[in-house]
Amino acid sequence: YAVSPYRGSEYAVAWNHILNMSKDNKITVIYGTSGNHMGDFDEMNKFLSENKVENVNFVQVKPSKKTTALNFLNVKNIFNYSFYWAYNSWQIQVLDTVKQLMLQNKYDLIHFLCPIGYREPGYLWKLDVPYMWGPICGVNNVPWKLFKILTIKGKIRFLIRNVVNTMQFALSYRLRKALKGVDVLLTATTETKDKFDRISKNESIYIPENCLLVSPVLNSEKFKIENGKYQILFVGRLDDGKGCILFLKALMHVKRKELINVNILGDGLLKGQLEDFVLNNGLKDIVTFHGSMPRTEVMRMFDTSHLHVITSLSEANTTVVWEAMAHGVPTLALDHCGMHDTICEKCGIKIPVENSEQIVADIAKEINELLDAPSRFESLAYGTLECAQKYVWDTRRKAMNSFYDLAIERYNKSTRC
């Protein structure tokens, strides 16, 4: 659905996949946006006017008048869940587009990639072509025990999401029908795999949705600290879902604050509220809010950071995990969602998820212990480089090609053939 060479998150997931898999395959990419909303193709148009991607044909599916109307409330930020009505309508358009393409071309396989959410399975599984879906995620809910830290709007939003998500996964007839047409299902977390394996005809394959686009490199000069400070980085939207308030509350209990600088990159509805918290709790000398930054500048910040922090309440494998790994930066994260699978004791620190008070205390404890034994910053960095080798694209490309072969093999043995 979304792809862009200039953005992170799911835009980057799709773009990195296309660039790498086109080394071994000829790919027709059906997509719906490269911008903030459906039908915004400006970024891809700009890129393709100046560059050619070998073995790739990009096909835009512009939203119809009906699809655009269904997306109106989402675009105006009045009712964001109306996006799913529009997205379903757009997927019907995709089916018609692919049927037309199949009259002119032979395709060996269809791979439905992005968005990562499972809720809208599209309609391409209906076609008589080997079919692969994923990696998918989205079955995880925001833990009820962490609702205490949410704003009123956050509580309402995630209450609705948790209830609807639980019901949709349990009751969606179209999801189960679509799964019957899937030859290979990829799941982005082990939690997602466990849940889908109970309802899928084939056991799914766990594989994170993204990985490292470049070979990991460590700036070892940053460890030559004399009168300097250790740099701690937080990157993400400043909203309820990213849980930044947990990190800020933990900083209040860090004993040797004079040894750290905290850089917070990103923007969002809670930015002002979080800035006020920092000001009112004596953290303004160590915490800097940078707002949204160009991608090149974000990478520079990773290059000089000693620790990366994720406090997301519900996540698959956020892109910043891989960006941190690519720069040899260990990650401190809550021990759930995708972080539970991709972070280990060699490359980071996982915080148990019992309740908000325990999380705040444990984050502070871990940072205090790092500052008491600062050589661990460097040992974790080299451990991160070691772990990163599991997530380079050369390894991923071989795995994906084997999954393509498996999808074709299963299709040929099935009654769909």
Side-chain angles (χ1 to χ4, degrees):
Y1 165 68
V3 59
S4 172
Y6 305 112
R7 299 185 177 221
S9 299
E10 292 203 345
Y11 299 86
V13 171
W15 182 251
N16 295 343
H17 187 93
I18 291 163
L19 284 186
N20 284 277
M21 297 312 297
S22 62
K23 294 177 181 178
D24 303 317
N25 306 279
K26 291 184 178 180
I27 303 176
T28 297
V29 178
I30 312 292
Y31 72 108
T33 185
S34 62
N36 292 330
H37 293 292
M38 192 178 293
D40 181 351
F41 301 111
D42 289 348
E43 290 184 11
M44 280 300 298
N45 288 340
K46 178 181 183 296
F47 181 86
L48 294 174
S49 70
E50 301 168 353
N51 304 274
K52 179 175 175 56
V53 184
E54 293 294 331
N55 296 324
V56 181
N57 175 35
F58 289 92
V59 177
Q60 300 173 351
V61 176
K62 299 177 182 179
S64 64
K65 289 182 179 179
K66 174 187 174 183
T67 303
T68 301
L70 290 170
N71 201 34
F72 178 79
L73 294 178
N74 171 52
V75 172
K76 296 299 181 182
N77 207 29
I78 297 171
F79 182 63
N80 297 128
Y81 289 103
S82 68
F83 166 78
Y84 288 102
W85 303 334
Y87 183 61
N88 177 266
S89 178
W90 180 78
Q91 285 286 359
I92 294 172
Q93 292 183 241
V94 169
L95 178 62
D96 292 338
T97 300
V98 173
K99 283 180 178 179
Q100 291 302 311
L101 287 169
M102 289 177 65
L103 295 176
Q104 307 163 31
N105 305 280
K106 180 184 181 299
Y107 296 97
D108 298 298
L109 175 132
I110 293 173
H111 181 187
F112 179 15
L113 173 74
C114 294
I116 194 172
Y118 74 90
R119 295 174 191 83
E120 178 49 67
Y123 297 94
L124 298 184
W125 50 270
K126 292 185 173 184
L127 301 173
D128 284 333
V129 181
Y131 188 79
M132 187 165 92
W133 184 17
I136 59 171
C137 196
V139 296
N140 53 298
N141 292 325
V142 171
W144 296 107
K145 51 198 171 188
L146 297 185
F147 265 58
K148 181 178 179 180
I149 70 162
L150 300 175
T151 63
I152 295 297
K153 286 185 178 180
K155 286 182 172 71
I156 295 171
R157 174 190 169 197
F158 287 114
L159 170 64
I160 294 171
R161 185 201 178 276
N162 280 9
V163 172
V164 171
N165 188 44
T166 300
M167 292 179 62
Q168 189 164 18
F169 184 75
L171 304 174
S172 175
Y173 170 74
R174 195 156 68 85
L175 172 63
R176 281 156 176 75
K177 191 173 181 181
L179 287 172
K180 292 179 180 179
V182 176
D183 298 297
V184 168
L185 179 67
L186 306 181
T187 42
T189 69
T190 53
E191 178 187 1
T192 305
K193 174 178 168 56
D194 290 343
K195 290 187 176 181
F196 267 94
D197 284 354
R198 298 172 199 162
I199 64 172
S200 302
K201 66 175 183 179
N202 294 311
E203 182 179 351
S204 68
I205 299 171
Y206 158 68
I207 186 167
E209 73 275 19
N210 209 347
C211 59
L212 279 68
L213 188 59
V214 296
S215 297
V217 176
L218 175 63
N219 170 25
S220 58
E221 292 296 312
K222 66 186 177 184
F223 297 111
K224 297 178 180 178
I225 292 178
E226 295 177 3
N227 298 321
K229 298 185 177 184
Y230 292 96
Q231 305 295 318
I232 302 179
L233 187 62
F234 181 99
V235 183
R237 295 185 313 277
L238 299 183
D239 61 15
D240 278 295
K242 293 296 183 181
C244 184
I245 190 64
L246 291 168
F247 177 40
L248 296 181
K249 285 184 175 181
L251 291 176
M252 294 170 58
H253 305 286
V254 171
K255 297 173 183 176
R256 304 174 70 186
K257 294 182 181 66
E258 73 279 2
L259 295 181
I260 61 173
N261 275 330
V262 176
N263 296 296
I264 297 181
L265 279 57
D267 212 336
L269 297 175
L270 296 187
K271 184 169 182 281
Q273 183 175 320
L274 295 173
E275 287 175 327
D276 289 342
F277 181 89
V278 165
L279 187 63
N280 296 332
N281 289 279
L283 299 174
K284 66 181 181 65
D285 291 336
I286 65 169
V287 177
T288 303
F289 288 86
H290 295 268
S292 296
M293 299 177 69
R295 195 168 179 78
T296 52
E297 189 65 15
V298 174
M299 295 305 103
R300 189 193 68 77
M301 296 288 281
F302 270 112
D303 199 40
T304 56
S305 295
H306 300 88
L307 181 68
H308 167 234
V309 174
I310 299 174
T311 49
S312 296
L313 307 187
S314 181
E315 197 79 73
N317 293 279
T318 175
T319 303
V320 292
V321 168
W322 316 114
E323 291 171 342
M325 276 192 176
H327 292 272
V329 182
T331 294
L332 181 153
L334 304 191
D335 187 14
H336 66 174
C337 306
M339 294 81 75
H340 170 78
D341 303 315
T342 53
I343 297 171
C344 69
E345 67 278 358
K346 286 184 179 179
C347 62
I349 298 167
K350 292 192 285 190
I351 304 296
V353 181
E354 298 298 332
N355 56 67
S356 58
E357 291 82 5
Q358 163 266 318
I359 290 171
V360 167
D362 282 357
I363 292 175
K365 172 178 173 289
E366 294 292 348
I367 294 176
N368 283 328
E369 290 181 358
L370 282 168
L371 295 175
D372 287 339
S375 61
R376 281 187 64 211
F377 282 113
E378 189 167 2
S379 61
L380 282 169
Y382 282 100
T384 300
L385 290 184
E386 180 183 342
C387 290
Q389 297 304 318
K390 296 183 292 184
Y391 302 108
V392 295
W393 253 109
D394 282 348
T395 302
R396 171 64 57 91
R397 197 170 80 245
K398 293 175 184 175
M400 281 291 177
N401 280 322
S402 71
F403 301 156
Y404 288 168
D405 291 340
L406 178 61
I408 293 169
E409 177 186 335
R410 284 179 175 173
Y411 168 81
N412 288 335
K413 291 179 179 178
S414 73
T415 56
R416 293 173 57 234
C417 181

